[in-house]
């Protein structure tokens, strides 16, 4: 019974199945890439908010205040915004990845500066801010490359598709060459 089935028909079925499979994988992986891109955009926004909050705290901390209560009243909301951005960023990052570690280290350096009464000065913050910007750019570049390259499942499916298509084309070519040389195949009846 198997001998009655044309190699060409099998090849066409394999190609159709491979195209259907790759269509499903591409659709799913596209959705993952869309989510990852949204994640990158949100992270970029939070990093901007974080640096803006750091600079707002530095500016407000350098102003003269009539008493400690006025200083706390002014700085409280600014620190609240800074903490919010800090936690959003921390929750978005994988602490085991190299690029994330660099960014988290910069955030820790900001925290250490803030723990001293006069730690958050423009002179103290500027080098850490530059490191934060550099680490942010590296992280965003890494994540963008990850989106561009696609998820591992997508890359594996793409490689598998090329192998399947190459085998199917080879099988069809073999079947065609057999027919053109007069070699009987499964559909060509043997002459007695």
């Amino acid at each position: 019974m198997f001998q009655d089935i044309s190699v060409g028909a099998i090849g066409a079925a394999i190609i159709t199945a491979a195209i259907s499979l790759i269509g499903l994988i591409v659709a799913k992986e596209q959705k993952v890439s869309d989510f990852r891109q949204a994640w990158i955009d949100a992270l970029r926004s939070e990093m901007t908010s974080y640096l803006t909050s750091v600079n707002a705290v530095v500016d407000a901390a350098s102003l003269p205040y009539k008493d400690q209560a006025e200083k706390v009243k002014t700085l409280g909301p600014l620190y609240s915004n800074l903490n919010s951005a800090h936690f959003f960023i921390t929750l978005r990052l994988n602490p085991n990845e190299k690029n994330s570690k660099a960014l988290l280290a910069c955030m820790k350096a900001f925290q250490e500066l803030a723990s001293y009464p006069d730690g958050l000065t423009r002179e103290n913050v500027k080098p850490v801010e530059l490191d934060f910007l550099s680490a942010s750019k590296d992280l965003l570049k890494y994540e963008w490359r990850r989106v561009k390259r696609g998820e591992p499942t997508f890359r594996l499916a793409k490689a598998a598709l090329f192998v399947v298509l190459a085998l199917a084309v080879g099988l069809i070519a073999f079947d065609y060459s057999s027919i053109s040389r007069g070699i009987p195949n499964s559909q060509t009846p043997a002459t007695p």
Side-chain angles (χ1 to χ4, degrees), residues 176-185 188:
Y176 179 75
S177 69
S178 296
I179 292 171
S180 66
R181 289 189 309 210
I183 301 173
N185 67 11
T188 308

Side-chain angles (χ1 to χ4, degrees), residues 111-127:
Q111 281 183 314
E112 289 172 1
L113 288 175
S115 68
Y116 298 106
D118 295 325
L120 287 177
T121 64
R122 186 66 48 212
E123 298 78 31
N124 292 346
V125 167
K126 194 63 176 170

Side-chain angles (χ1 to χ4, degrees), residues 49-63 65 71 74-83 110 113-114 117 119-122 125:
S49 177
Y50 183 81
L51 279 182
T52 302
S53 296
V54 166
N55 284 301
V57 169
V58 169
D59 292 343
S62 67
L63 298 174
Y65 295 97
K71 186 175 183 178
T74 302
L75 289 174
L78 299 175
Y79 272 110
S80 177
N81 291 342
L82 180 61
N83 285 335
F110 278 127
L113 288 175
L120 287 177
T121 64
R122 186 66 48 212
V125 167

